[in-house]
Amino acid sequence: MKSNTKHAECCSHDTDKPLEHFENLTDHTDHDGHDHGSPKPSWKSHWDLLLALLILVIMLSLEYGFDILFTGTANLIVYGIAYLLAGWRVLNIAFRKLKRLDIFNEFFLMSIATIGAFLIGEYSEGVAVMVFYSIGEWFQDSAVNRAKNSIKALLDVRPDEVSVLRDGNELRVDPATVKIDEIIVIKPGEKVALDGQLVSENASFNTSALTGESKPATKYSGENILAGMINLSSVAEVKVTTLYSDSKLSKILSMVQDATARKSQTQLFISKFAKVYTPIVFFLALAVCLLPYFFVDNYDFNTWFYRSLVFLVISCPCALVVSIPLGYFGGIGLASRHGILFKGGNFLDVMTKINVVVMDKTGTLTKGVFKVQEVVADDIGKSELLRLASTLEKNSTHPVARAIVEFAKGEEDTKAEKVEEIAGHGMKGIIEGMTVLAGNVKLMQKFSVDYPKEIEKIVDTTVLIALDNIYAGYITIADEIKDDAAKTISELHKLNIKTVMLSGDKQSVVNNVAKMIGIGSAYGDLLPAEKVAKVEELKNSGFHLAFVGDGVNDAPVVALADAGIAMGGLGSDATIETADIVIQNDHPYKVVSAILIGKITRNVVWQNIILAMVVKVVVLSLGAGGVATLWEAVIADVGVAFLAILNAVRIQKMTV
């Protein structure tokens, strides 16, 4: 699990109801009736606000278009009705907060400002402030709901029903009721509901919901099939290996949904800022109203009271407290659409500071699909050497071990006993009474086994085998570099990011891969503890570091890095749990995309902060000086919020 230091930035949250956390997007959300997470508002649910707007337009048209003026009482009644229609929700929330002695919030500010306008006879401006403020709130609700629905649609890839074979019959049932080892049937065009292994000979699947990749993937009998994939070809049968609630997709959905509850440092700052900022502007508004009495000749209370109302309206912090979290949520949504899962908005910030990316080799920069190249035996038959090696390696999930087992298919084998996997070295076990060792040269050295030293010069990955501590031969295995590995390293260098490769493979192999893809520094022959030491060395040198790995053995380094990135996270539950960011496919270029998405999000967030603060300072100054009216104040406030939210929403439409 990740260290407490990194997750201290995350707010506490209820993991049983992850989507509900978005309803608490900011402190701006109120549970007394003003909820940005409520069902999507429609014009029918805001008929009162629209009617108030119509009344305001008619009254202003009569006054300025036809010079028709109502008497004082009639004016008050008509505008009063419009005011209550537009503002009853705001007034209700303000009253409830007042009962809790919470007066430093935007609802109370708007209530005071608009009631004050009525007290000095500025009815039309009081109604205008409430109408346009409420329209702005309506727009904010809609923007938040669109973002929430967008992420729901992105993640809602689990079907509600599944076909299962029971007693020779095909039944449609709830996926949650399907048990392990049952056979489910996926027809062409259907989504897979549960993780399992393909029973049919072969089938083609669309994996875009999981990986962001549109290219179909052909799977063969015995290969893993994951929930969320879509069957593209003939009817496919899958043997269930994981319960519905435990599927990798379910865990990923919870992870991304929980990410909305984890606030970035900027979000946390804005929340704290708003709590300090609001009371300050409230008392400044009082000062604007009362202090001139002591310094201004011919002081007129109504004039300065009006200026203080302008001050209150423009000071509303809505644009900041809504648009900024919405920006981070947009970044999480954009990343998810590209198959990159951030565990919180705080990690979007972290990625903008990264100046060194450390990568594992196998499965990260190489495909991790090893193939046996050569079997060399010494005083033992090749088939016998291969049989003993595969019998031992069947007990390991390492890609090298799988390659040997795959190559040895058809060979008669027995069962290995007292099997021990020695991290960074290889395997040890008892087969037919013999102690069998299979691993790298460090394993041979550990058990004092003599071997031909020229083996160390072989470029390919080499597995040495010893029987009862006597060298018996070796197997060479080759891996293939991923298509986008060189491009990834090149783009990272263009971003002035240092690249380092750490691997447990031998140095000659590591050097060869590093040369082919242009990586900066490469270290081989490393045990897990030595990888940790290298990362600590880089961190102690002042680097902000991201580590990219794909296996359980990388967990300690992933936990230590500023940003731990799991490559091919769908293949390792432990990696998903440990990493801060999960790349759902095996493409290293997604690391570049993650950095770019972090920078896009940061830029948009700071654009919103600067825009909101500059406009507010200007209009606050104009209002205090008597230049700006309530009309300018409300238009500036709603306009800034409108522009900031539009700016935040557009993140989800960007490409990287």
Side-chain angles (χ1 to χ4, degrees):
M1 298 300 293
K2 299 300 293 179
S3 64
N4 292 333
T5 302
K6 293 172 73 172
H7 283 287
E9 298 172 353
C10 303
C11 64
S12 61
H13 53 286
D14 179 0
T15 54
D16 294 330
K17 299 180 181 178
L19 274 176
E20 291 180 8
H21 292 301
F22 190 66
E23 297 178 6
N24 297 319
L25 181 66
T26 69
D27 293 328
H28 181 74
T29 298
D30 188 90
H31 292 289
D32 290 329
H34 189 82
D35 188 350
H36 286 298
S38 59
K40 187 176 181 179
S42 67
W43 67 269
K44 290 182 180 179
S45 63
H46 286 76
W47 65 267
D48 45 4
L49 176 57
L50 295 174
L51 180 56
L53 176 62
L54 179 62
I55 293 172
L56 177 63
V57 170
I58 291 173
M59 291 294 287
L60 292 176
S61 298
L62 290 174
E63 181 178 351
Y64 294 103
F66 301 96
D67 290 328
I68 299 175
L69 298 175
F70 284 77
T71 61
T73 303
N75 218 24
L76 175 61
I77 292 173
V78 174
Y79 277 120
I81 292 172
Y83 177 77
L84 292 174
L85 286 169
W88 68 268
R89 292 182 181 87
V90 175
L91 294 170
N92 182 41
I93 296 171
F95 178 68
R96 293 187 183 190
K97 286 181 174 288
L98 178 61
K99 288 195 296 184
R100 300 197 297 263
L101 301 180
D102 177 11
I103 63 171
F104 300 121
N105 57 78
E106 64 269 29
F107 307 108
F108 192 75
L109 293 185
M110 285 298 132
S111 299
I112 292 295
T114 51
I115 291 171
F118 266 74
L119 290 176
I120 60 174
E122 300 292 346
Y123 306 137
S124 63
E125 295 187 40
V127 172
V129 169
M130 188 60 80
V131 165
F132 289 113
Y133 173 75
S134 298
I135 288 174
E137 292 296 294
W138 180 8
F139 178 80
Q140 291 166 16
D141 287 347
S142 299
V144 169
N145 275 287
R146 277 196 297 272
K148 180 179 173 182
N149 291 335
S150 173
I151 201 73
K152 274 186 176 180
L154 179 72
L155 299 174
D156 189 15
V157 293
R158 294 176 295 183
D160 297 324
E161 288 186 327
V162 63
S163 297
V164 61
L165 295 178
R166 289 176 179 168
D167 299 324
N169 298 315
E170 185 178 314
L171 306 175
R172 295 290 290 178
V173 300
D174 186 330
T177 66
V178 177
K179 298 177 182 177
I180 292 175
D181 291 335
E182 286 195 293
I183 303 296
I184 59 174
V185 180
I186 301 99
K187 298 177 176 63
E190 281 190 334
K191 292 176 182 176
V192 181
L194 300 131
D195 294 350
Q197 289 183 335
L198 187 63
V199 175
S200 304
E201 186 176 345
N202 61 71
S204 182
F205 293 89
N206 180 338
T207 65
S208 60
L210 299 173
T211 65
E213 297 297 318
S214 57
K215 184 179 178 181
T218 301
K219 300 291 183 179
Y220 297 93
S221 180
E223 289 195 278
N224 291 331
I225 306 299
L226 298 173
M229 293 181 175
I230 301 173
N231 184 12
L232 298 176
S233 54
S234 56
V235 175
E237 293 186 355
V238 174
K239 182 180 180 181
V240 175
T241 57
T242 308
L243 294 176
Y244 183 73
S245 59
D246 296 329
S247 70
K248 290 181 176 65
L249 178 60
S250 294
K251 292 178 181 179
I252 289 170
L253 299 190
S254 296
M255 184 190 79
V256 177
Q257 291 165 341
D258 282 342
T260 64
R262 294 175 173 175
K263 295 183 179 181
S264 69
Q265 288 296 324
T266 309
Q267 283 175 270
L268 294 172
F269 168 75
I270 290 299
S271 296
K272 294 176 182 177
F273 171 78
K275 290 177 181 178
V276 175
Y277 165 85
T278 305
I280 288 175
V281 297
F282 183 82
F283 287 112
L284 283 176
L286 280 179
V288 168
C289 177
L290 301 177
L291 285 182
Y293 174 80
F294 302 100
F295 306 104
V296 177
D297 294 332
N298 301 319
Y299 171 82
D300 178 65
F301 176 80
N302 282 2
T303 298
W304 289 100
F305 182 57
Y306 181 84
R307 293 182 184 184
S308 70
L309 298 182
V310 173
F311 201 92
L312 283 180
V313 171
I314 192 56
S315 67
C316 180
C318 297
L320 291 174
V321 296
V322 174
S323 68
I324 290 171
L326 193 59
Y328 281 99
F329 191 71
I332 291 172
L334 175 62
S336 298
R337 203 172 74 245
H338 284 80
I340 305 166
L341 307 181
F342 279 84
K343 287 190 177 180
N346 49 326
F347 298 117
L348 285 163
D349 282 344
V350 169
M351 290 305 288
T352 66
K353 301 172 184 175
I354 295 300
N355 51 22
V356 59
V357 172
V358 181
M359 295 184 172
D360 180 39
K361 179 182 71 70
T362 306
T364 301
L365 293 169
T366 64
K367 293 182 179 179
V369 181
F370 288 88
K371 291 185 179 180
V372 172
Q373 305 296 308
E374 186 180 13
V375 179
V376 178
D378 187 10
D379 295 331
I380 186 175
K382 289 185 179 181
S383 60
E384 178 67 5
L385 182 75
L386 189 61
R387 181 182 74 85
L388 293 170
S390 65
T391 299
L392 183 58
E393 297 287 12
K394 280 179 70 174
N395 297 280
S396 173
T397 59
H398 194 281
V400 170
R402 290 200 298 265
I404 294 174
V405 173
E406 180 68 24
F407 186 77
K409 271 187 176 178
E411 297 285 344
E412 183 182 353
D413 66 354
T414 56
K415 187 176 180 181
E417 300 175 338
K418 297 183 180 180
V419 177
E420 180 183 355
E421 184 161 0
I422 304 170
H425 292 76
M427 303 285 293
K428 176 187 177 185
I430 306 296
I431 303 175
E432 298 172 350
M434 291 185 295
T435 299
V436 180
L437 299 173
N440 54 28
V441 295
K442 285 186 288 187
L443 183 68
M444 300 296 112
Q445 293 166 356
K446 181 178 178 69
F447 289 91
S448 303
V449 176
D450 291 328
Y451 60 91
K453 299 303 178 184
E454 57 266 23
I455 291 176
E456 296 179 6
K457 298 179 181 179
I458 298 174
V459 174
D460 290 338
T461 299
T462 308
V463 177
L464 288 76
I465 296 95
L467 306 177
D468 288 332
N469 279 23
I470 298 174
Y471 168 77
Y474 66 86
I475 301 171
T476 60
I477 299 170
D479 194 3
E480 188 178 347
I481 294 173
K482 291 181 180 178
D483 297 335
D484 60 341
K487 179 184 177 184
T488 301
I489 301 304
S490 175
E491 291 300 317
L492 288 172
H493 289 168
K494 287 179 182 178
L495 293 171
N496 293 319
I497 294 174
K498 177 183 173 69
T499 55
V500 178
M501 180 166 62
L502 304 180
S503 177
D505 213 338
K506 60 185 181 181
Q507 191 66 51
S508 60
V509 175
V510 172
N511 289 341
N512 189 47
V513 172
K515 183 178 179 181
M516 293 176 70
I517 64 177
I519 204 160
S521 303
Y523 303 92
D525 296 313
L526 297 176
L527 298 175
E530 292 172 326
K531 286 186 178 181
V532 170
K534 285 287 183 185
V535 169
E536 286 180 335
E537 183 182 326
L538 287 166
K539 288 196 70 176
N540 292 336
S541 298
F543 286 107
H544 292 282
L545 182 146
F547 180 84
V548 191
D550 72 317
V552 177
N553 288 340
D554 293 324
V557 200
V558 168
L560 180 63
D562 295 298
I565 304 175
M567 178 66 68
L570 288 177
S572 171
D573 288 341
T575 309
I576 290 175
E577 290 293 328
T578 306
D580 307 310
I581 302 161
V582 179
I583 293 175
Q584 290 178 267
N585 56 31
D586 290 327
H587 294 182
Y589 189 77
K590 296 292 185 181
V591 176
V592 178
S593 299
I595 293 171
L596 294 176
I597 289 170
K599 292 188 175 188
I600 287 171
T601 305
R602 179 194 59 186
N603 290 342
V604 168
V605 165
W606 278 103
Q607 286 168 11
N608 286 348
I609 291 174
I610 293 169
L611 171 68
M613 295 309 296
V614 167
V615 172
K616 286 185 182 297
V617 168
V618 170
V619 181
L620 281 171
S621 302
L622 294 175
V627 178
T629 67
L630 279 174
W631 281 101
E632 281 89 356
V634 71
I635 290 172
D637 179 57
V638 174
V640 168
F642 182 84
L643 291 174
I645 292 169
L646 280 181
N647 197 30
V649 168
R650 74 186 177 91
I651 293 177
Q652 295 189 61
K653 307 296 182 184
M654 293 181 177
T655 57
V656 291

